Amino acid sequence: MPSTTTTSTTTSTSTSTTTTTIDPLTVAHAFPVDPEVGSSYTPEAHSNYRATDVFATAGCGTRLLAPVTGTVDEVLENVYDRATDNPADRGGNAVSIIGDDGVRYYMAHFQAIDPSITPGARVTAGQFLGEMGDTGRAGACHVHFGLSLPCPEGSDDWYIRRGVIWPDVYLDSWKAGENLSPLTELEEWFAEYPDACRSLEDTPYPRG
């Protein structure tokens, strides 16, 4: 569980760089799929690495929402080519947000991303980001949801960005209107794999 006291920490290693002076319990979170639409996800079921696929009964076009208050880090356009199947491109249209708790929140396979969502833009938890889709390597309409800490600037860290811990307990919390932050669990993961941002071989996950 995250500490209930306000902390001021700076971490700068070969693995990750994150600075937060905010108690993670005070940073707002929201379930990333329109709460008016039925949705489902299977805990700890993602292949090869730790992330979650969230499906909605309304399918493509379902409203996707910012899971945290923070700053947009990246907006990625779909360049996926099934012939080459580059794992770095499998997310298609995607958005990553650095939450005010220092955590990176990654959502992929958007059908469309709102034009206001650009790198550097501030977002609040529950703000409209775009529409659920099936861009990239997606067999059906859904949103891929991954949690990590940001790597140092210039890192080719697609394999970290896609997710390194199971998000399900946090999705459960936000869906219930609670406010659990994944910061503590992520700090523990990166302490266990201090060179993870250096290369995929320094993580416990396969390349695929």
Side-chain angles (χ1 to χ4, degrees):
M1 294 287 292
S3 170
T4 58
T5 59
T6 301
T7 59
S8 177
T9 59
T10 301
T11 302
S12 182
T13 67
S14 60
T15 297
S16 64
T17 300
T18 182
T19 301
T20 181
T21 57
I22 298 176
D23 178 354
L25 290 179
T26 69
V27 177
H29 293 83
F31 190 69
V33 175
D34 185 347
E36 299 300 318
V37 175
S39 59
S40 63
Y41 45 94
T42 303
E44 302 187 12
H46 205 276
S47 62
N48 293 342
Y49 59 93
R50 296 180 175 183
T52 296
D53 292 334
V54 184
F55 297 84
T57 55
C60 281
T62 299
R63 290 167 55 86
L64 299 179
L65 312 176
V68 69
T69 295
T71 302
V72 176
D73 183 40
E74 293 180 289
V75 177
L76 305 174
E77 294 186 3
N78 183 31
V79 294
Y80 180 70
D81 182 347
R82 194 167 294 276
T84 56
D85 191 28
N86 182 350
D89 299 332
R90 289 175 182 168
N93 296 325
V95 174
S96 66
I97 297 168
I98 307 300
D100 287 347
D101 55 359
V103 172
R104 176 168 50 182
Y105 299 76
Y106 173 68
M107 297 167 64
H109 306 308
F110 283 76
Q111 173 177 278
I113 297 171
D114 189 270
S116 68
I117 305 303
T118 57
R122 288 287 296 173
V123 295
T124 57
Q127 179 177 332
F128 177 68
L129 296 180
E131 300 174 351
M132 181 180 289
D134 59 359
T135 58
R137 197 177 81 167
C141 289
H142 71 282
V143 60
H144 170 104
F145 189 81
L147 297 168
S148 64
L149 294 181
C151 289
E153 187 175 353
S155 301
D156 183 16
D157 65 341
W158 59 268
Y159 55 93
I160 297 291
R161 181 182 60 211
R162 66 185 181 176
V164 299
I165 65 171
W166 295 118
D168 312 288
V169 64
Y170 305 102
L171 291 168
D172 289 344
S173 169
W174 307 333
K175 197 169 189 178
E178 300 167 353
N179 202 38
L180 186 63
S181 170
L183 178 60
T184 297
E185 185 179 355
L186 284 166
E187 288 177 332
E188 292 171 352
W189 189 91
F190 280 95
E192 184 174 358
Y193 302 101
D195 296 319
C197 285
R198 184 174 64 183
S199 72
L200 179 56
E201 287 67 33
D202 291 298
T203 75
Y205 306 127
R207 179 171 177 79

